[in-house]
């Protein structure tokens, strides 16, 4: 190995150390036409870094994780923690590249929003394009599959069958998505050296972490919460009859969703003691345990804290044909984290947009999304706290924190109002449930869920 | 809810708190015939516990994780951390129960070894059998699928098509696998109460954590390491010619394994500076990045430390048709952890058996398992340490720890000898590679790997 190679490796190791110290993730995309030599580039890069904390994500269509989940699920799963490195073969450019082979133009809005989220989280993103025109790539593929005595893979078939104007489409894709480092493909050693130089250069001047600009706050509208009839009540007997019928219908409709392979996401937010647990019990009682999962959301653990905020919710998304019930949710970012100051203003401010993007991806994937706010009055909450304090098997539910949160009712109310105003979207509407009467709230939630699910 | 139910919930919460404090995992199996009411029991149990730290694992055949991996992969993935709770619908009894429906007897050795490992790790295992004879279960299933307007699931079909003597088979299964709490099925409320009582009783008197008995050490045999010809050398030129040819053949054979959907696991152990990194570079250089993953093994993280030792290796197993290269491996338990005292004697002593069970499962699943020990002399190691200290891009590889390990050469040698004696097994043999000459070692590893993989 030559002197220049030694310098390269030293520079890579130094950059890796600096990133680890700065606690910034490094995400490298190695993209290009199959046959251009992307694999040699990946191997050279992994050998250049200290392998601890480096992970390669290169999938065949069958081995790619996250079939039966929204398309970006797999990229979220694979995100490196801060201070670590992830190398992606094509990554989220897989579908746009394949579109170019077919002569189609791909929509890149989702991937741009994803990259913006990585950047806002401090990740350094390096996009390498291993460049070879389709004609020469085809020749390289034919040589290789002969030497390796095998049929072409799916992605190789795409190149072999590519449209004549595929090269133009790929150029347009790069122009549309910006900031590519193009390295010459074909000769693997030359490509590897150029790639390493590209990574080193990007790492020597990484973009500073810039908080997203704070969006102007919308003018306050009349609070929809104030319109709720909190006195809405239902007798226990009448409720039981309705609830029994709704539970039976829910079981039927969830099986129907399972048959259609449609995923269901239900999230519950609401005041402390608003009755979330009781609602979840009524929803899940009639259901087959294989069809749903209840995910209680508490403070993030270390692994979760080391990645962009939405990572831990992406990992819990249901597989198609199944339901996840989030007991509290990603809205904690703009509720408790905002009010208690756990998130910086620029973090929770940008969360509205991130959440809307996230939910739009769920909806685009065909997910039934039910967002519920259980609303009670401060007086009703006080009554329930007192009852909890007196009931042995409920005492664990009442903590110091609950009393502290109560003191900030007004701040929370403002946060809830803004949350509803900014995230009540087509396909992702909020349902506000008057919950001073538990039987009323339980029936209302079951009815909402049944209505959201198709009957057949 | 009655007074007795309140007492039950209080007892469950108290038991959960005690387990959390004792940092013991709780694993509950809820098994039985489909239609007996297992889902109601699961729902009742999850509602009884504080939901934080509780997770239900109930899968349909399609939603079960770990297709294309050894059968127990999914159970390892799902293991709760110490202090947490996992509920499994049938769990590792799924296959034996289905065997009973077909009138067949299942082999339960693997699941018994698995349960023994959980117990040795301090987990509390509660096995509930929701009991209903097959005849009544069939009637329950017919009623239910009519009400829910759906076709029977795969597991329901198993019951509907069960052999006449299925009940006897299930009884035999329970007797063979011991320690079941049988609760009456059919009526869901009664079953739920009995199940909760069963769990409470088991939790009030959990088995103490008992270190497995220490097996007598085998008489020392002549060390196979002493037989190695460490002077075996190969010229750089000759090595390059061979290595080029072997790399091409390896690429060809790994694609063939991919076609056959055969998984490959290669693990590298050896002295510090034995040349593991250089070997891995030569093995991976010709390979398609989608077909393999290199997993460097360092100290476990918090999530890994909270589970049985082998958990973190199970999660890294390759999908069928792919290769994982472990740069150091599970043998750390009986090498560095033994010598440095990171593992207690009873822990590393029982690891030989656990490792043999683990590897036997890989082999039974059809995995090509290549275990390599790179052997160098202490003099050669010293030369390499000195060279590292002088080479800027290698300095990060040399730590204080390396010098300390060197002082304990004799202890390590004894550990390696015992490791080889106890874990060199049919289908899982050790290959001892003389590595004083790097070209020789690299060629030898490539040759070993090529030989282990079928040619077509």
């Amino acid at each position: 190995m030559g002197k220049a190679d030694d310098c390269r490796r030293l520079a890579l190791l130094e950059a890796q150390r600096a990133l680890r110290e700065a606690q910034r993730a490094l995400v490298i995309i190695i993209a290009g036409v199959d046959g251009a030599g992307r694999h040699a580039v990946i191997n050279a890069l992994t050998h250049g870094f200290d392998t601890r904390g480096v992970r390669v994500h290169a999938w065949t269509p069958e081995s790619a994780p996250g079939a039966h989940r929204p398309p970006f699920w797999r990229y979220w799963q694979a995100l490196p923690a801060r201070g670590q490195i992830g190398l992606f073969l094509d990554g989220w450019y897989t579908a746009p590249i394949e579109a170019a082979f077919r002569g189609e133009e791909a929509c890149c809005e989702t991937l741009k929003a994803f990259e913006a989220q990585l950047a806002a989280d401090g990740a350094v993103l390096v996009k390498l394009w291993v460049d070879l025109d389709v004609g020469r790539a085809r020749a390289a593929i034919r040589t290789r599959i002969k030497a390796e005595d095998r049929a072409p893979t799916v992605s190789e078939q795409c190149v072999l069958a590519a449209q004549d104007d595929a090269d133009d489409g790929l150029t347009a894709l790069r122009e549309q998505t910006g900031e590519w480092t193009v390295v010459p493909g074909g000769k693997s050693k030359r490509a590897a050296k150029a790639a390493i130089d590209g990574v080193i250069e990007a790492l020597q001047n990484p973009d500073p972490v810039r908080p997203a600009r704070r969006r102007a706050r919308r003018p306050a509208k009349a609070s929809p919460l104030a319109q709720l009839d909190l006195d809405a009540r239902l007798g226990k007997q009448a409720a039981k009859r309705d609830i029994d019928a709704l539970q039976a219908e829910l079981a039927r409709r969830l099986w129907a969703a399972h048959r259609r392979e449609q995923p269901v996401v239900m999230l519950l937010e609401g005041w402390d003691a608003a009755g979330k647990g009781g609602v979840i019990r009524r929803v899940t009682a009639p259901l087959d345990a294989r069809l749903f999962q209840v995910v209680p959301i508490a403070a993030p653990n270390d692994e979760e804290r080391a990645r962009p905020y939405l990572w831990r919710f992406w990992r819990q998304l249901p597989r198609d044909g199944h339901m996840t019930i989030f007991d509290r949710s990603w809205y904690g970012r703009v509720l408790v984290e905002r009010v208690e100051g756990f998130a910086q203003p620029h973090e929770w401010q940008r969360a509205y947009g991130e959440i809307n993007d996230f939910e739009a991806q769920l909806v685009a994937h065909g997910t039934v999304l039910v967002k519920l706010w259980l609303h009670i009055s401060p007086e009703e909450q006080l009554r329930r706290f007192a009852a909890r304090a007196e009931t042995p098997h409920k005492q664990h539910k009442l903590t110091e924190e609950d009393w502290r949160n109560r003191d900030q009712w007004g701040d929370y109310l403002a946060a809830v109002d803004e949350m509803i105003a900014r995230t009540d979207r087509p396909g992702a509407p909020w349902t506000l449930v008057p919950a001073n009467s538990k039987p009323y709230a339980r029936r209302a939630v079951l009815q909402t869920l049944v209505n959201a699910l198709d009957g057949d």
Side-chain angles (χ1 to χ4, degrees), chain A:
Chain A
M1 204 161 49
K3 197 108 193 143
D5 287 329
D6 286 351
C7 284
R8 281 196 181 90
R9 295 196 63 185
L10 199 57
L12 268 191
L13 289 168
E14 176 52 32
Q16 184 177 15
R17 197 198 49 70
L19 280 169
R20 199 176 282 156
E21 253 172 39
Q23 279 293 291
R24 298 181 69 173
L26 172 59
V27 173
I28 305 180
I29 301 264
I30 299 99
V33 179
D34 220 318
R38 298 161 305 157
H39 298 280
V41 168
I42 290 179
N43 288 339
L45 281 171
T46 49
H47 300 150
F49 289 116
D50 176 2
T51 52
R52 283 163 293 186
V54 177
R55 182 103 198 185
V56 177
H57 302 283
W59 301 306
T60 56
E62 316 85 52
S63 72
H68 310 285
R69 290 206 171 70
F72 269 62
W73 189 86
R74 64 187 54 156
Y75 310 121
W76 275 94
Q77 290 304 295
L79 278 187
R82 295 191 197 101
Q84 306 208 326
I85 300 176
L87 287 88
F88 292 82
L89 179 74
D90 290 346
W92 38 99
Y93 289 91
T94 305
I97 289 172
E98 287 174 6
F101 291 145
R102 293 189 306 268
E104 298 162 11
E105 204 177 323
C107 168
C108 294
E109 294 318 305
T110 303
L111 73 81
K112 282 182 189 168
F114 181 58
E115 292 183 354
Q117 249 183 90
L118 296 185
D121 196 65
V124 177
L125 177 63
V126 180
K127 303 196 288 189
L128 297 172
W129 188 273
V130 186
D131 196 33
L132 195 69
D133 62 72
V134 168
R136 284 163 65 209
R138 282 199 193 112
I141 290 171
R142 291 204 187 96
T143 307
R144 165 155 295 192
I145 59 180
K146 202 173 158 201
E148 291 173 353
D149 186 23
R150 59 178 175 84
T153 62
V154 173
S155 57
E156 285 168 342
Q157 281 167 2
C158 285
V159 181
L160 295 175
Q163 299 288 312
D164 289 340
D165 59 352
D167 286 318
D168 295 340
L170 294 170
T171 306
L173 170 62
R174 289 201 302 276
E175 278 165 7
Q176 195 197 338
T177 53
E179 312 255 354
W180 285 93
T181 301
V182 177
V183 303
K187 296 229 168 121
S188 60
K189 283 204 175 148
R190 196 181 52 166
K193 278 180 192 169
I196 291 175
D197 287 341
V199 171
I200 291 169
E201 199 184 307
L203 292 184
Q204 275 161 350
N205 300 298
D207 289 335
V209 186
R210 250 188 302 252
R213 248 170 313 165
R214 187 172 165 153
R215 275 202 263 172
R217 200 147 156 188
R218 295 193 188 179
K221 283 191 295 188
S223 164
L225 292 174
Q227 318 298 320
L228 284 187
D229 175 14
L230 279 176
D231 292 328
R233 311 214 145 254
L234 193 66
K236 266 206 166 176
Q237 286 307 317
K240 186 170 175 353
R241 211 178 40 235
D242 288 0
I243 285 174
D244 285 350
L246 285 165
Q247 284 179 328
E249 183 61 19
L250 177 63
R252 207 180 66 74
R253 293 197 178 195
L254 193 63
W255 275 110
H258 182 69
R259 262 197 313 271
R260 285 195 306 272
E261 300 214 351
Q262 185 170 34
V264 183
V265 169
M266 164 175 153
L267 70 86
L268 269 172
E269 294 283 354
W271 301 100
D272 291 327
K276 292 191 290 296
V279 162
I280 291 174
R281 269 198 291 286
R282 269 61 178 194
V283 167
T284 57
L287 302 179
D288 188 301
R290 289 168 300 191
L291 295 191
F292 73 92
Q293 186 77 247
V294 178
V295 177
I297 299 300
N301 66 27
D302 289 350
E303 208 184 347
E304 294 165 340
R305 238 186 295 268
R307 290 180 173 82
Y309 176 70
L310 288 172
W311 185 75
R312 61 188 177 125
F313 306 104
W314 270 98
R315 21 175 12 196
Q316 303 285 6
L317 288 183
R319 186 190 150 90
D320 294 349
H322 294 73
M323 172 163 75
T324 299
I325 298 172
F326 288 93
D327 181 358
R328 301 197 186 278
S329 71
W330 42 96
Y331 285 100
R333 190 69 156 184
V334 295
L335 296 174
V336 58
E337 294 195 29
R338 163 184 174 171
V339 174
E340 306 292 338
F342 301 149
Q344 299 293 312
H346 67 84
E347 290 174 326
W348 62 258
Q349 282 286 343
R350 76 166 195 261
Y352 299 109
E354 292 173 352
I355 286 172
N356 286 335
D357 287 342
F358 170 49
E359 294 183 353
Q361 287 190 59
L362 301 190
V363 173
H365 183 64
T367 308
V368 174
L369 178 58
V370 177
K371 311 195 292 191
L372 298 154
W373 175 262
L374 297 192
H375 199 55
I376 56 175
S377 63
E379 299 75 26
E380 179 63 24
Q381 187 188 51
L382 189 60
R383 266 192 295 277
R384 293 187 186 178
F385 279 7
R388 282 186 173 181
E390 282 169 16
T391 311
H393 74 273
K394 289 189 173 173
Q395 281 163 1
H396 76 284
K397 289 176 147 188
L398 190 63
T399 64
E400 278 297 309
E401 210 182 311
D402 293 327
W403 292 103
R404 274 202 309 278
N405 292 347
R406 201 178 141 71
D407 288 339
Q408 309 188 59
W409 192 277
D411 291 342
Y412 274 101
L413 200 56
V416 175
D417 274 334
E418 188 169 0
M419 169 186 87
I420 294 167
R422 290 198 168 189
T423 62
D424 188 66
R425 294 300 200 89
W430 276 102
T431 301
L432 311 178
V433 181
N436 271 3
S437 155
K438 286 183 182 177
Y440 181 92
R442 289 165 185 169
R443 192 195 55 173
V445 168
L446 277 163
Q447 185 72 62
T448 303
L449 196 53
V450 164
N451 292 350
L453 287 161
D454 266 344
D456 36 55

